[in-house]
mmCIF file of all heavy atoms in Angstrom:
data_model
loop_
_atom_site.group_PDB
_atom_site.id
_atom_site.type_symbol
_atom_site.label_atom_id
_atom_site.label_comp_id
_atom_site.label_asym_id
_atom_site.label_seq_id
_atom_site.Cartn_x
_atom_site.Cartn_y
_atom_site.Cartn_z
ATOM 1 N N ILE D 679 112.645 -133.285 -34.020
ATOM 2 C CA ILE D 679 111.485 -133.251 -34.930
ATOM 3 C C ILE D 679 111.735 -132.408 -36.178
ATOM 4 O O ILE D 679 110.769 -132.009 -36.838
ATOM 5 C CB ILE D 679 110.231 -132.724 -34.193
ATOM 6 C CG1 ILE D 679 110.410 -131.260 -33.771
ATOM 7 C CG2 ILE D 679 109.874 -133.589 -32.987
ATOM 8 C CD1 ILE D 679 109.106 -130.558 -33.406
ATOM 9 N N ASP D 680 112.984 -132.123 -36.549
ATOM 10 C CA ASP D 680 113.230 -131.135 -37.604
ATOM 11 C C ASP D 680 112.777 -131.579 -38.989
ATOM 12 O O ASP D 680 112.506 -130.756 -39.847
ATOM 13 C CB ASP D 680 114.694 -130.724 -37.635
ATOM 14 C CG ASP D 680 115.633 -131.876 -37.941
ATOM 15 O OD1 ASP D 680 115.808 -132.202 -39.130
ATOM 16 O OD2 ASP D 680 116.194 -132.455 -36.990
ATOM 17 N N GLY D 681 112.741 -132.900 -39.244
ATOM 18 C CA GLY D 681 112.255 -133.371 -40.530
ATOM 19 C C GLY D 681 113.212 -133.162 -41.684
ATOM 20 O O GLY D 681 112.833 -133.361 -42.843
ATOM 21 N N ILE D 682 114.444 -132.760 -41.408
ATOM 22 C CA ILE D 682 115.463 -132.550 -42.439
ATOM 23 C C ILE D 682 116.635 -133.491 -42.185
ATOM 24 O O ILE D 682 116.966 -134.334 -43.006
ATOM 25 C CB ILE D 682 115.927 -131.086 -42.461
ATOM 26 C CG1 ILE D 682 114.740 -130.169 -42.782
ATOM 27 C CG2 ILE D 682 117.060 -130.886 -43.468
ATOM 28 C CD1 ILE D 682 115.008 -128.708 -42.591
ATOM 29 N N TYR D 683 117.221 -133.350 -41.015
ATOM 30 C CA TYR D 683 118.337 -134.220 -40.640
ATOM 31 C C TYR D 683 117.863 -135.391 -39.777
ATOM 32 O O TYR D 683 118.602 -136.360 -39.581
ATOM 33 C CB TYR D 683 119.404 -133.417 -39.886
ATOM 34 C CG TYR D 683 119.978 -132.318 -40.737
ATOM 35 C CD1 TYR D 683 119.659 -130.985 -40.495
ATOM 36 C CD2 TYR D 683 120.822 -132.609 -41.807
ATOM 37 C CE1 TYR D 683 120.177 -129.969 -41.293
ATOM 38 C CE2 TYR D 683 121.344 -131.605 -42.607
ATOM 39 C CZ TYR D 683 121.012 -130.284 -42.342
ATOM 40 O OH TYR D 683 121.519 -129.302 -43.140
ATOM 41 N N ASN D 684 116.664 -135.269 -39.280
ATOM 42 C CA ASN D 684 116.063 -136.278 -38.407
ATOM 43 C C ASN D 684 114.604 -136.472 -38.798
ATOM 44 O O ASN D 684 114.126 -135.896 -39.750
ATOM 45 C CB ASN D 684 116.150 -135.822 -36.939
ATOM 46 C CG ASN D 684 117.572 -135.612 -36.494
ATOM 47 O OD1 ASN D 684 118.338 -136.559 -36.350
ATOM 48 N ND2 ASN D 684 117.954 -134.352 -36.284
ATOM 49 N N MET D 685 113.916 -137.279 -38.013
ATOM 50 C CA MET D 685 112.489 -137.482 -38.257
ATOM 51 C C MET D 685 111.727 -136.169 -38.074
ATOM 52 O O MET D 685 112.151 -135.276 -37.342
ATOM 53 C CB MET D 685 111.946 -138.549 -37.314
ATOM 54 C CG MET D 685 112.153 -138.295 -35.834
ATOM 55 S SD MET D 685 111.725 -139.755 -34.871
ATOM 56 C CE MET D 685 112.346 -139.296 -33.258
ATOM 57 N N GLY D 686 110.603 -136.074 -38.765
ATOM 58 C CA GLY D 686 109.742 -134.914 -38.640
ATOM 59 C C GLY D 686 108.725 -135.099 -37.529
ATOM 60 O O GLY D 686 108.697 -136.137 -36.849
ATOM 61 N N PRO D 687 107.845 -134.118 -37.332
ATOM 62 C CA PRO D 687 106.877 -134.193 -36.246
ATOM 63 C C PRO D 687 105.973 -135.420 -36.293
ATOM 64 O O PRO D 687 105.670 -136.008 -35.244
ATOM 65 C CB PRO D 687 106.061 -132.900 -36.393
ATOM 66 C CG PRO D 687 106.986 -131.954 -37.072
ATOM 67 C CD PRO D 687 107.802 -132.799 -38.006
ATOM 68 N N ALA D 688 105.556 -135.849 -37.470
ATOM 69 C CA ALA D 688 104.644 -137.003 -37.556
ATOM 70 C C ALA D 688 105.344 -138.289 -37.127
ATOM 71 O O ALA D 688 104.804 -139.071 -36.339
ATOM 72 C CB ALA D 688 104.093 -137.135 -38.978
ATOM 73 N N GLU D 689 106.557 -138.507 -37.638
ATOM 74 C CA GLU D 689 107.290 -139.716 -37.254
ATOM 75 C C GLU D 689 107.663 -139.671 -35.772
ATOM 76 O O GLU D 689 107.585 -140.685 -35.072
ATOM 77 C CB GLU D 689 108.552 -139.877 -38.098
ATOM 78 C CG GLU D 689 109.291 -141.180 -37.809
ATOM 79 C CD GLU D 689 110.524 -141.366 -38.668
ATOM 80 O OE1 GLU D 689 110.761 -140.553 -39.588
ATOM 81 O OE2 GLU D 689 111.253 -142.347 -38.413
ATOM 82 N N ALA D 690 108.067 -138.500 -35.289
ATOM 83 C CA ALA D 690 108.398 -138.367 -33.869
ATOM 84 C C ALA D 690 107.177 -138.632 -32.989
ATOM 85 O O ALA D 690 107.291 -139.255 -31.927
ATOM 86 C CB ALA D 690 108.969 -136.980 -33.584
ATOM 87 N N SER D 691 106.011 -138.198 -33.436
ATOM 88 C CA SER D 691 104.779 -138.471 -32.682
ATOM 89 C C SER D 691 104.511 -139.966 -32.613
ATOM 90 O O SER D 691 104.124 -140.503 -31.573
ATOM 91 C CB SER D 691 103.595 -137.746 -33.327
ATOM 92 O OG SER D 691 103.790 -136.347 -33.332
ATOM 93 N N ALA D 692 104.724 -140.658 -33.738
ATOM 94 C CA ALA D 692 104.555 -142.112 -33.745
ATOM 95 C C ALA D 692 105.560 -142.779 -32.814
ATOM 96 O O ALA D 692 105.227 -143.729 -32.087
ATOM 97 C CB ALA D 692 104.711 -142.645 -35.163
ATOM 98 N N CYS D 693 106.795 -142.296 -32.804
ATOM 99 C CA CYS D 693 107.811 -142.861 -31.912
ATOM 100 C C CYS D 693 107.449 -142.623 -30.449
ATOM 101 O O CYS D 693 107.663 -143.500 -29.600
ATOM 102 C CB CYS D 693 109.172 -142.260 -32.220
ATOM 103 S SG CYS D 693 109.844 -142.788 -33.806
ATOM 104 N N ALA D 694 106.898 -141.451 -30.155
ATOM 105 C CA ALA D 694 106.463 -141.187 -28.779
ATOM 106 C C ALA D 694 105.413 -142.208 -28.339
ATOM 107 O O ALA D 694 105.403 -142.652 -27.182
ATOM 108 C CB ALA D 694 105.911 -139.768 -28.668
ATOM 109 N N GLY D 695 104.550 -142.598 -29.268
ATOM 110 C CA GLY D 695 103.552 -143.614 -28.953
ATOM 111 C C GLY D 695 104.164 -144.964 -28.664
ATOM 112 O O GLY D 695 103.622 -145.747 -27.859
ATOM 113 N N LEU D 696 105.304 -145.263 -29.283
ATOM 114 C CA LEU D 696 106.004 -146.515 -29.008
ATOM 115 C C LEU D 696 106.738 -146.469 -27.673
ATOM 116 O O LEU D 696 106.744 -147.440 -26.912
ATOM 117 C CB LEU D 696 107.030 -146.792 -30.114
ATOM 118 C CG LEU D 696 106.501 -147.048 -31.516
ATOM 119 C CD1 LEU D 696 107.652 -147.071 -32.513
ATOM 120 C CD2 LEU D 696 105.722 -148.357 -31.564
ATOM 121 N N ILE D 697 107.353 -145.324 -27.390
ATOM 122 C CA ILE D 697 108.188 -145.189 -26.191
ATOM 123 C C ILE D 697 107.339 -145.109 -24.925
ATOM 124 O O ILE D 697 107.722 -145.616 -23.871
ATOM 125 C CB ILE D 697 109.096 -143.948 -26.336
ATOM 126 C CG1 ILE D 697 110.058 -144.135 -27.512
ATOM 127 C CG2 ILE D 697 109.863 -143.665 -25.055
ATOM 128 C CD1 ILE D 697 110.706 -142.846 -27.991
ATOM 129 N N ARG D 698 106.208 -144.423 -25.039
ATOM 130 C CA ARG D 698 105.242 -144.304 -23.937
ATOM 131 C C ARG D 698 105.846 -143.671 -22.679
ATOM 132 O O ARG D 698 105.602 -144.122 -21.557
ATOM 133 C CB ARG D 698 104.602 -145.652 -23.611
ATOM 134 C CG ARG D 698 103.840 -146.263 -24.766
ATOM 135 C CD ARG D 698 102.744 -147.214 -24.322
ATOM 136 N NE ARG D 698 103.231 -148.352 -23.569
ATOM 137 C CZ ARG D 698 103.635 -149.504 -24.111
ATOM 138 N NH1 ARG D 698 103.626 -149.657 -25.420
ATOM 139 N NH2 ARG D 698 104.049 -150.492 -23.357
ATOM 140 N N ALA D 699 106.637 -142.641 -22.873
ATOM 141 C CA ALA D 699 107.150 -141.889 -21.726
ATOM 142 C C ALA D 699 106.009 -141.143 -21.041
ATOM 143 O O ALA D 699 104.979 -140.844 -21.658
ATOM 144 C CB ALA D 699 108.215 -140.896 -22.181
ATOM 145 N N ARG D 700 106.205 -140.843 -19.783
ATOM 146 C CA ARG D 700 105.194 -140.076 -19.055
ATOM 147 C C ARG D 700 105.013 -138.691 -19.683
ATOM 148 O O ARG D 700 103.899 -138.188 -19.794
ATOM 149 C CB ARG D 700 105.644 -139.953 -17.590
ATOM 150 C CG ARG D 700 104.556 -139.504 -16.665
ATOM 151 C CD ARG D 700 104.939 -139.754 -15.206
ATOM 152 N NE ARG D 700 104.539 -138.618 -14.408
ATOM 153 C CZ ARG D 700 105.362 -137.744 -13.853
ATOM 154 N NH1 ARG D 700 106.657 -137.871 -13.983
ATOM 155 N NH2 ARG D 700 104.906 -136.740 -13.151
ATOM 156 N N HIS D 701 106.119 -138.091 -20.076
ATOM 157 C CA HIS D 701 106.085 -136.803 -20.781
ATOM 158 C C HIS D 701 107.087 -136.847 -21.922
ATOM 159 O O HIS D 701 108.180 -137.397 -21.772
ATOM 160 C CB HIS D 701 106.457 -135.641 -19.848
ATOM 161 C CG HIS D 701 105.494 -135.433 -18.732
ATOM 162 N ND1 HIS D 701 104.235 -134.909 -18.927
ATOM 163 C CD2 HIS D 701 105.601 -135.705 -17.419
ATOM 164 C CE1 HIS D 701 103.609 -134.855 -17.750
ATOM 165 N NE2 HIS D 701 104.411 -135.333 -16.832
ATOM 166 N N THR D 702 106.726 -136.245 -23.064
ATOM 167 C CA THR D 702 107.635 -136.173 -24.199
ATOM 168 C C THR D 702 107.751 -134.729 -24.662
ATOM 169 O O THR D 702 106.748 -134.011 -24.747
ATOM 170 C CB THR D 702 107.159 -137.062 -25.357
ATOM 171 O OG1 THR D 702 106.927 -138.383 -24.861
ATOM 172 C CG2 THR D 702 108.207 -137.124 -26.456
#
C-alpha cells in the first residue's frame, strides 16, 4: 500500500474488494 512504488491505500482497498479474501 505504499503508493510510491506500488498502489496506495485507496487502490489496494479497491483490489481487496475484488479479491474478496476472508482477511486482508
Side-chain angles (χ1 to χ4, degrees):
I679 65 163
D680 62 83
I682 299 169
Y683 299 107
N684 300 290
M685 56 190 170
E689 185 178 353
S691 299
C693 290
L696 295 171
I697 297 163
R698 300 205 299 272
R700 195 165 139 250
H701 296 288
T702 307

